[in-house]
Amino acid sequence: MAMRNILHISKLQEFEDFLETKGYMIVATSKNPFEVLRAQKDGDTVIVYQKKDTKEHLSTMDKDYHLVREFIKRQRVQTNADRIRSMTDEELVEFLAKTVWRMGENIFSCKNSSLYPECLDGMCEKCPCYLDWLKSPAERGE
């Protein structure tokens, strides 16, 4: 079965480039007049089709749907909020430490600032208080 109308025609070249980054080799299409792209990797073949009356979107086989979804997801512009949501706890500690330092406030009650002399007023990503705070239960605001 085919997944219809999932990949926009204007993205065909970019999808081809994406497949190449995933290790697929672009090969010649078959004699099927609806086939617009064929790629192979380790015995797997990805085929993209264009129905004769379709003006905007292309189709793939169900088994290749995950590749198209991954491609589309990578195409989205990541917002600052997306970037923050995707951070590890350690990356978030570093981000918060720098941000809090820039704002001149400390939202953490640091118990270890004397142990970390490189920290300025307890606002250092090396201080374990930040990670402890991130891993603690959230306080409910009023």
Side-chain angles (χ1 to χ4, degrees), residues 6 28 44 51 69 73 79 83 93-95 102 113 121 124 134 136 138:
I6 185 166
D44 180 38
K51 283 177 59 177
R69 293 298 310 152
K73 193 173 184 180
T79 65
R83 186 175 142 250
V93 163
E94 184 178 345
F95 172 77
R102 228 180 286 144
S113 58
D121 297 325
C124 175
L134 283 174
S136 67

Side-chain angles (χ1 to χ4, degrees), residues 1-140:
M1 196 70 187
M3 293 299 294
R4 308 249 185 258
N5 302 330
I6 185 166
L7 181 64
H8 198 275
I9 288 174
S10 67
K11 299 291 183 181
L12 183 61
Q13 181 60 53
E14 291 174 56
F15 184 64
E16 184 177 316
D17 296 342
F18 167 79
L19 289 175
E20 287 179 325
T21 66
K22 302 282 286 176
Y24 285 86
M25 186 170 74
I26 307 306
V27 296
T29 58
S30 70
K31 294 181 181 184
N32 180 340
F34 301 112
E35 192 174 312
V36 293
L37 175 67
R38 180 179 283 253
Q40 292 179 329
K41 174 185 170 184
D42 301 330
D44 180 38
T45 302
V46 175
I47 303 172
V48 179
Y49 301 94
Q50 180 178 8
K51 283 177 59 177
K52 143 175 104 167
D53 58 344
T54 301
K55 293 178 178 62
E56 292 188 21
H57 292 90
L58 305 168
S59 302
T60 63
M61 299 301 292
D62 287 344
K63 71 173 187 63
D64 302 320
Y65 177 73
H66 71 282
L67 288 168
V68 178
R69 293 298 310 152
E70 183 181 343
F71 167 73
I72 291 169
K73 193 173 184 180
R74 286 188 183 186
Q75 295 287 305
R76 288 190 191 131
V77 175
Q78 187 180 46
T79 65
N80 286 322
D82 293 332
R83 186 175 142 250
I84 291 168
R85 279 190 283 274
S86 68
M87 286 181 179
T88 64
D89 286 349
E90 291 73 20
E91 290 170 330
L92 190 54
V93 163
E94 184 178 345
F95 172 77
L96 287 173
K98 289 176 181 174
T99 304
V100 167
W101 182 82
R102 228 180 286 144
M103 292 177 0
E105 299 177 27
N106 191 355
I107 61 172
F108 305 98
S109 55
C110 181
K111 305 169 201 86
N112 300 307
S113 58
S114 61
L115 300 174
Y116 299 92
E118 65 274 8
C119 296
L120 175 63
D121 297 325
M123 291 184 272
C124 175
E125 66 270 13
K126 293 180 177 85
C127 179
C129 289
Y130 284 94
L131 198 53
D132 292 343
W133 180 83
L134 283 174
K135 293 182 177 188
S136 67
E139 299 173 11
R140 295 275 181 204

